Amino acid sequence: MNASWSALLTAALAAVLATVPLLLLVTSAFLALECLAALLSRTASAPPARPADRSLAVLVPAHNEAGGIGATLATITPQLRPGDRLVVIADNCTDSTAVEARQAGATVIERQDSTQRGKGYALDFGLRHLAENPPAVVVLVDADCTLHPGALAALASQAQQANRPVQAVYLMEKPANPGLKDGVSAFAFKVKNWVRPQGLYALGQPCLLTGTGIAMPWAAATSVSIASGHIVEDMKLGLDLALAGYAPQFCQAAWVTSRLPSGDQATTTQRTRWEHGHLQIFTEYVPRLLGQAVRQRRLDLLALALELSVLPITLQVMAVVAIALLSLVIALAGLSWLPATLALAALVCLIMGISLAWVGYGRSDLSLQDLLAVPAYMLSKFSIFSKFLTKPEQTWIRTERDG
């Protein structure tokens, strides 16, 4: 083999080996950009006034939420105006959820279907109920969360003004007597549901839907099918809406909170559903988003593809560190330093992004000392990600509530 062919093959091998480090660099740099933009745009502007002549309906899907749904509805009802509707979908309930919701002043519709289970089917049932007299805006609120004062008006106003779906700041509070894992989980949730969407909003780009505190103009709510048993139906809904021309927008003036489960089994069940669901959506939607971004020349779809390509934060860190170590071995073996250079650059971007998020948003969740124990916590989650390759979560499972 002559020298030119050898050089060509070496260059080709280096390019192949650099592919994964390059992708990790792009996604890690995008994460760092989001965190920087969020840190520079923390001042929230006042939400626009809600028009007096626009009707609103709140849908609350509930599956066996007796004992807790009353507290959730008590945070919603004071924010309703005359003419607004509050509808609870008691979905496949075997407890007193429906009775408690009626006592709290909600209209209750009951659904029983042993084959089509999950929040998406419940919401579809609720939308079909509202279709007889459709509201201008429909707001989706989970049955286990707190809708903070002013959130309903902020969501409705922004959805009406932007004529697109909007997502509230949705955060998880730590349980009583929290440990390190609770602080890490709360911080990771904050990065995913507040920091990154805030950064995207500052950059003029859409965000993903994150589960509860979602408002949609009626035309958007009925533009795609919401009936789905997908384990992260909210993320799927947001991407379907974006592809249909209604890319979701972040609403920093509206706040919704829930509480992390305190039991290890409940925590693992919840995290497995979220992480596996993200990976499934990633494989299904990134090619579609990229294809439509090119065909329609839409920057917002490209931004969503990049956002979706950032792996769950623990997995992103694991992947970058593993590829960086592997690339160093390849470089020291004399093959190419390009993969190692890209992987190390990705690691730098990732550290910068997480550091910016912690400085601006995470010091109440994790102390500097706690950060030193985070690597051990990340290793403990390896089983969740490895399970995705052997036995991925396929069906929606309700997370057990405390108490």
Side-chain angles (χ1 to χ4, degrees), residues 207-266:
C207 66
L208 300 174
L209 295 183
T210 57
T212 184
I214 300 165
M216 296 181 284
W218 182 254
T222 55
S223 65
V224 300
S225 174
I226 199 172
S228 165
H230 201 284
I231 56 177
V232 283
E233 75 295 316
D234 41 75
M235 188 181 293
K236 180 181 186 302
L237 172 62
L239 296 171
D240 286 338
L241 287 166
L243 289 167
Y246 294 99
Q249 187 180 77
F250 186 58
C251 180
Q252 57 184 324
W255 286 68
V256 183
T257 55
S258 188
R259 187 174 291 277
L260 288 166
S262 57
D264 288 342
Q265 183 58 49

Side-chain angles (χ1 to χ4, degrees), residues 14-26:
V16 171
L17 294 174
T19 301
V20 173
L22 177 60
L23 293 175
L24 289 173
L25 173 57
V26 170

Side-chain angles (χ1 to χ4, degrees), residues 22 28 48 89 166 181 254 274 327 334 342 354:
L22 177 60
S28 297
I89 307 105
V166 296
K181 67 176 183 180
W274 288 342
S327 298
L342 294 172
I354 294 174

Side-chain angles (χ1 to χ4, degrees), residues 55-95:
S55 57
L56 179 146
V58 181
L59 287 182
V60 182
H63 172 66
N64 288 347
E65 297 288 352
I69 192 169
T72 294
L73 298 181
T75 69
I76 300 174
T77 51
Q79 301 187 46
L80 297 172
R81 299 191 313 194
D84 291 344
R85 284 170 281 173
L86 174 59
V87 179
V88 171
I89 307 105
D91 187 59
N92 288 300
C93 291
T94 57
D95 62 2

Side-chain angles (χ1 to χ4, degrees), residues 23 82 164 205 270 288 315 338 373:
L23 293 175
R164 58 198 288 188
Q205 299 305 318
Q270 187 180 67
R288 292 176 58 188
L315 183 57
L338 179 59

Side-chain angles (χ1 to χ4, degrees), residues 17 49 100 108 141 161 168 177 181 230 237 247 270 282 310 312 321 328 359 368 380:
L17 294 174
E100 293 182 21
V108 179
V141 180
Q161 185 180 72
N177 303 314
K181 67 176 183 180
H230 201 284
L237 172 62
Q270 187 180 67
F282 166 78
V310 179
V321 171
L328 281 174
V359 168
L368 190 58
S380 71

